[in-house]
Amino acid sequence: MNGGKKLVLEVEQDIGGGVVRAVAMDTTDGLSRGMEVTNTGAPISVPVGSATLGRIFNVLGEAIDDGKAVESGKRLPIHRKAPEYVAQATNVEILEPVLKLSISSVRS
C-alpha cells in the first residue's frame, strides 16, 4: 500500500534473491526501496461477458466510466493466447460507432 492506495505491479523479470523488475500500472509517487509487496500469484485479469458491453475499463479491469462496478463472475488475463482463427467471427456486419466523452474541466 502506498499511503493507503493499492498499486498493481506486473513482474517482467525475476532477478533472483527476492528482487524483480516490474512495471507499475499507476503512478509510483511515494514509493521507496524496501517497501513490502504482496505476491498474488495471479496474472492481471479483467472482467468479460455481457456485463462489460458498452462499458469503459482501465487495464486492471476497473470501470472508469462512472458506472456501477461490474459484478461479472468471469475474468480473463490481459496477456493470453489469441483465439484460433476458426473461433473468430467471419461474417460481415455493420458496427455502430460509440463515442463516450468525459469533460472534467474546460479552459477558457
Side-chain angles (χ1 to χ4, degrees), residues 36-80:
E36 185 177 338
V37 297
T38 302
N39 180 1
T40 66
I44 296 173
S45 63
V46 296
V48 295
S50 60
T52 64
L53 296 177
R55 301 292 306 276
I56 302 173
F57 300 88
N58 64 15
V59 73
L60 302 175
E62 301 164 339
I64 57 171
D65 58 2
D66 297 328
K68 289 191 266 182
V70 175
E71 300 298 330
S72 173
K74 186 172 181 183
R75 296 178 71 88
L76 291 175
I78 61 172
H79 299 294
R80 63 189 187 106

Side-chain angles (χ1 to χ4, degrees), residues 7 11 20 41 60 83 96-97 102:
L7 175 63
V11 174
V20 297
L60 302 175
E96 298 282 335
S102 174

Side-chain angles (χ1 to χ4, degrees), residues 94-100:
I94 297 173
L95 300 175
E96 298 282 335
V98 176
L99 179 61
K100 290 187 177 184

